[in-house]
Amino acid sequence: MERARDESPSPSSPAPAVTRAAAVLDVLASSPSGRATLSDLARELGIPKSSTSNILQALEDTGLVARDGGDFSLGRKLVELGASYLSRRDEIREFYQFCAQAPTLAHETVRIALLDGDHVIYLARYEGHPAVRLTSTIGDKMPASLCGVGKALVARLHEHDWEEMYPDDAELPTLTPYSIATGKAFKAELRRIKEQGYAFEDEESTIGVVCLAVPVPTRGAHGPNLGVSVTALKATFTEGQKTSMIAELKELARALGNPMG
């Protein structure tokens, strides 16, 4: 299990207990099994078991953590909080409304994601194509280099950001034989995306699945870095389908980025 954050809260933290509680949630979220023991958590956080136990008890009492024997996992209260957060975002409501009315996207799997460093977090998923269920869903976090929407979002950053984030010799995570494996290859892909105006993912995260993606124009100087993508089965994917998907994705992106227009 990888360490989710620093072993101890920042000395400047006004509420160390809250910072440590958030660190517990991060560790549970990053666990491959979704579970961890008291010993696991204390070791990951670098704090005594007694302190970790007190934090877990408080989190369990509020429903943020669930206990099953000696294992702890994220609690259902987080689902309620996440749903409440998403329901209040104008972009999410507009996203679902647009997808349901779009001629092509209404019958496909469409997602909206947020760029978070060198990863993306999926915020919403419109399920218009039940056959494509092997791809990321709401709340999942994915390395940007592995997915269409991540590539589209990184491509619109400044090239000096690319150099800092992806040195030529950087070894990138891979999921299939088609995943982009080095920083140098990824930057070459980003230049193609910037030139053509959309990203194409060809079986790079899931065999047999392709994806098209575009960024959403930023709302204001500090607006969220959002992107939208559509997933399809490669076996039935056609150039005509690609053309219509790109056109509707760009229209969706414009609608999300400029709600008054």
Side-chain angles (χ1 to χ4, degrees):
M1 189 188 304
E2 294 183 359
R3 194 176 306 280
R5 52 173 72 219
D6 293 339
E7 292 185 349
S8 58
S10 167
S12 62
S13 173
V18 175
T19 303
R20 282 176 170 169
V24 167
L25 298 177
D26 280 346
V27 171
L28 291 174
S30 65
S31 168
S33 67
R35 296 174 176 272
T37 65
L38 172 60
S39 297
D40 291 334
L41 290 163
R43 183 173 60 253
E44 288 294 313
L45 299 176
I47 59 178
K49 282 187 179 180
S50 57
S51 300
T52 307
S53 179
N54 290 337
I55 294 170
L56 286 167
Q57 185 61 60
L59 290 171
E60 185 181 0
D61 290 345
T62 57
L64 295 173
V65 159
R67 185 200 303 257
D68 182 9
D71 290 340
F72 295 89
S73 60
L74 297 178
R76 294 181 180 178
K77 185 66 176 180
L78 290 168
V79 178
E80 297 175 19
L81 295 174
S84 178
Y85 166 75
L86 291 174
S87 70
R88 286 164 173 76
R89 291 193 67 109
D90 291 341
E91 299 97 337
I92 304 303
R93 290 196 296 268
E94 293 164 14
F95 167 79
Y96 282 117
Q97 290 170 1
F98 184 98
C99 290
Q101 298 170 5
T104 300
L105 297 185
H107 307 289
E108 305 296 339
T109 300
V110 191
R111 291 167 295 177
I112 182 171
L114 171 72
L115 184 64
D116 180 25
D118 60 357
H119 282 65
V120 296
I121 301 172
Y122 291 96
L123 302 180
R125 172 170 172 149
Y126 175 85
E127 195 69 75
H129 195 314
V132 186
R133 292 192 179 276
L134 297 177
T135 54
S136 300
T137 189
I138 299 172
D140 285 353
K141 198 167 185 178
M142 173 81 79
S145 60
L146 279 173
C147 55
V149 69
K151 294 196 292 183
L153 288 171
V154 175
R156 84 165 168 194
L157 300 178
H158 294 294
E159 292 203 22
H160 62 76
D161 293 321
W162 302 354
E163 296 297 335
E164 184 176 332
M165 295 168 67
Y166 303 100
D168 284 354
D169 59 354
E171 295 183 5
L172 305 185
T174 59
L175 288 175
T176 78
Y178 306 106
S179 302
I180 298 174
T182 67
K184 183 176 182 179
F186 187 48
K187 285 181 290 188
E189 173 74 355
L190 294 176
R191 294 185 186 96
R192 284 192 292 270
I193 293 168
K194 202 163 191 175
E195 182 178 344
Q196 66 192 14
Y198 66 88
F200 180 59
E201 175 200 336
D202 190 1
E203 300 186 282
E204 292 159 49
S205 60
T206 306
I207 293 293
V209 174
V210 297
C211 177
L212 293 159
V214 300
V216 173
T218 303
R219 294 185 179 185
H222 304 289
N225 204 348
L226 300 172
V228 289
S229 64
V230 58
T231 304
L233 295 175
K234 185 167 184 177
T236 57
F237 189 64
T238 67
E239 281 299 314
Q241 191 178 16
K242 178 179 178 180
T243 299
S244 60
M245 284 179 171
I246 292 172
E248 289 185 18
L249 277 180
K250 289 183 175 181
E251 187 179 347
L252 170 59
R254 285 192 296 271
L256 295 177
N258 182 21
M260 300 304 293

